[in-house]
Amino acid sequence: MREYLEIEGGFPLSGEIRISGAKNAVLPALAATVLAPGRYRFLNWPRLLDLYTMLELLSRLGARVETRGEILEVDTTSLEGVEAPYELVRRMRASILVLGPLTARFGRARVALPGGCPIGKRPVDFHTRGLKLLGAEITLDHGYILARAPRGLTGTEIVFDFPSVTATENLLMAGVLARGETIIQNAAREPEVVFLGEMLQAMGGRIEGLGTDQIRIQGVPELHPPEEPLRIIPDRIETGTYLMLPGLVGGEIVLRGTEPRFLKTPILRLREAGLEIESEGDTLYARPGKGLKPLKIATAPYPGFPTDLQAQIIALLTQARGVSFVTETLFEDRFHHVSELWRMGADIEQDKRTAIVKGPVRLQGTEVEAHDLRASASLVLAALAAEGVSRIYGLEHLDRGYERIEEKLASIGARIVRKRYETAEPF
Ligand code: EPZ
């Protein structure tokens, strides 16, 4: 079934949106259920394609998955599988997050090498090198990573060339069951990594330094599920995406159930661009200021400006008065949204890893195709600002990371409908 979003843009949007649980927090948390048999319960879990893919992977490994109203329950008592098949890994590279836990728990794992994806090569050498340093034997077996550690893992010091988020998460999950002390230098500091670490602590893991670039882990012989249900932290990228709306279409929005402290840099930069943003508890208020100013911005690991908001801020800056420079420092090929924004009338030049955005331009509605998750969010923002009707194809990307996006946007006045077409590809 092929779907698309039909959006009629050019109207101010006002009202309240509730932010969902974070995709990039719930995925590692689900992988961590492999580490100890028993019943795990989660609250505020987002209904997203990627979550269902991870649940399918856990079921394939032998876990039992159930939802009771608001509670997502995963029981890994009879989990015994150690293989993550290519068909699931190709759908979601975050499947690699079971590599560390499987190796730590069972002494072996067979995980398909994730292919590249639309935003770049995305190697996994930090993951495999870290496991090797912990004593696992790693071989490449017909497109699968084969990890073996029949005598368990032994703690050691690991240094990352780059603070990789999922590599930090994989080695955190391996280290908690390794003998002795594991130190991860140049570790990722993202809130989603801290959330995973706190879950592992609730499971009996001994970890210090979460949220800093040096994490120290004292291995323990075994872990147990957390006593209490775990509440998934709010999605800071969903928040940041909606926070930009008043700069694109006008109106005042309220984002509830979020965590403003996770967005310090995006909020600072959006204020610098002229948006009026206030925060109070778990709520953010945003309204247009006196016109948008251009920015010079570069993506960086947390707490810098997130690469996952890069496509969205480029859409916003098409409305700024002047020339903006947006540099993508993490991924080598994460500007696919630029060519689609051109088709809506944006004036953007790409110079290697920097997009030069000239504004303000009047965006015009048209048919566009999304190639990756955050590019699709950027096209939704642009379509809401564009004059006339847009059709956005490639929703399989969008639905991976934005829960009920058309419902949330329609609730603040957007003219947005999800439609299906039976015919062949639209073009
Ligand atoms: C996580 O991906 C996120 N995904 C990504 O979000 C996010 O864009 C990225 O971190 C950066 O913040 C999840 O958390 C599930 P990395 P991850 O390892 O961990 C290089 C989204 O839209 N690298 O931090 O895969 C890599 O090439 C997704 O929600 C290696 O060289 O990103 C890249 O240049 C997209 N070798 C840089 O590190 C490795 O072994 C950052 O990658 C691993 C990474």
Side-chain angles (χ1 to χ4, degrees):
M1 166 195 60
R2 303 290 293 166
E3 298 180 320
Y4 61 92
L5 286 180
E6 190 164 274
I7 296 174
E8 188 184 351
F11 304 91
L13 303 176
S14 291
E16 196 166 298
I17 288 180
R18 174 153 288 278
I19 296 299
S20 300
K23 164 176 93 76
N24 292 348
V26 72
L27 294 177
L30 288 172
T33 65
V34 164
L35 285 167
R39 202 168 68 116
Y40 297 76
R41 290 163 295 159
F42 299 101
L43 286 167
N44 197 39
W45 49 283
R47 279 71 170 165
L48 294 171
L49 283 184
D50 275 3
L51 172 127
Y52 295 120
T53 301
M54 184 60 88
L55 292 178
E56 188 179 338
L57 173 52
L58 292 174
S59 309
R60 297 271 191 100
L61 296 173
R64 193 176 49 72
V65 171
E66 209 172 344
T67 55
R68 300 170 194 269
E70 285 312 296
I71 292 197
L72 168 65
E73 190 174 293
V74 177
D75 190 325
T76 57
T77 306
S78 47
L79 186 145
E80 55 188 9
V82 290
E83 174 153 331
Y86 180 61
E87 57 168 307
L88 290 180
V89 176
R90 65 187 289 275
R91 212 191 301 168
M92 180 185 71
R93 57 175 284 105
S95 312
I96 183 100
L97 284 168
V98 297
L99 177 65
L102 287 171
T103 309
R105 167 96 187 275
F106 296 111
R108 50 196 278 275
R110 188 167 186 272
V111 176
L113 260 179
C117 73
I119 60 179
K121 258 188 358 293
R122 304 191 73 185
V124 288
D125 53 314
F126 297 173
H127 302 244
T128 50
R129 190 165 55 78
L131 283 173
K132 257 190 218 155
L133 287 170
L134 289 171
E137 187 198 318
I138 302 282
T139 46
L140 186 58
D141 166 33
H142 300 288
Y144 280 69
I145 302 165
L146 206 49
R148 274 188 293 251
R151 288 180 301 288
L153 299 171
T154 307
T156 184
E157 181 156 356
I158 297 163
V159 186
F160 282 148
D161 301 347
F162 182 88
S164 159
V165 173
T166 49
T168 302
E169 290 165 345
N170 242 331
L171 293 162
L172 196 47
M173 291 188 280
V176 285
L177 283 179
R179 270 183 301 281
E181 181 179 60
T182 299
I183 298 174
I184 304 176
Q185 298 281 13
N186 199 15
R189 301 163 52 189
E190 275 70 0
E192 295 78 24
V193 175
V194 175
F195 176 76
L196 172 67
E198 289 169 352
M199 172 180 175
L200 295 173
Q201 288 169 331
M203 291 169 65
R206 294 173 51 204
I207 305 167
E208 288 162 20
L210 291 170
T212 76
D213 63 358
Q214 179 177 329
I215 298 178
R216 300 174 89 87
I217 307 153
Q218 304 304 329
V220 293
E222 63 177 18
L223 296 163
H224 56 77
E227 307 301 328
E228 298 305 317
L230 272 182
R231 184 168 183 73
I232 304 297
I233 56 172
D235 195 314
R236 61 194 168 92
I237 303 303
E238 183 192 23
T239 306
T241 302
Y242 295 138
L243 204 54
M244 299 183 193
L245 282 168
L248 279 148
V249 295
E252 302 198 6
I253 57 159
V254 180
L255 302 179
R256 288 224 187 282
T258 189
E259 181 53 81
R261 70 186 163 88
F262 293 161
L263 290 110
K264 280 206 182 93
T265 302
I267 290 169
L268 273 177
R269 302 313 304 266
L270 291 175
R271 282 180 177 149
E272 194 184 323
L275 283 180
E276 288 174 15
I277 298 171
E278 266 99 52
S279 80
E280 194 184 304
D282 74 348
T283 303
L284 277 169
Y285 303 84
R287 49 180 168 274
K290 302 171 186 52
L292 269 184
K293 302 183 198 76
L295 287 177
K296 190 170 177 342
I297 201 162
T299 60
Y302 194 86
F305 190 86
T307 173
D308 293 347
L309 287 177
Q310 177 256 102
Q312 298 89 316
I313 201 151
I314 283 185
L316 174 68
L317 292 169
T318 63
Q319 304 306 302
R321 194 172 308 286
V323 183
S324 298
F325 298 83
V326 181
T327 301
E328 171 54 62
T329 66
L330 277 84
F331 293 109
E332 66 268 25
D333 189 14
R334 197 173 195 176
F335 281 134
H336 294 292
H337 40 286
V338 170
S339 50
E340 297 301 314
L341 291 169
W342 278 338
R343 301 188 59 250
M344 299 175 84
D347 179 354
I348 308 173
E349 258 170 78
Q350 187 183 335
D351 170 14
K352 297 191 192 64
R353 288 203 171 190
T354 298
I356 301 156
V357 187
K358 292 193 181 81
V361 293
R362 280 202 55 66
L363 296 172
Q364 295 170 353
T366 183
E367 300 201 324
V368 286
E369 172 98 42
H371 298 270
D372 65 83
L373 165 54
R374 305 304 172 181
S376 46
S378 156
L379 296 176
V380 170
L381 292 178
L384 290 166
E387 171 263 323
V389 176
S390 295
R391 288 185 169 181
I392 301 176
Y393 297 91
L395 299 194
E396 64 277 14
H397 299 292
L398 189 64
D399 293 337
R400 293 183 48 194
Y402 288 87
E403 184 179 13
R404 294 181 295 112
I405 187 162
E406 65 267 25
E407 261 175 65
K408 293 189 179 188
L409 289 173
S411 75
I412 61 173
R415 300 184 186 185
I416 180 169
V417 178
R418 182 181 288 249
K419 292 190 168 181
R420 293 178 189 168
Y421 56 87
E422 303 312 328
T423 59
E425 291 286 315
F427 38 79

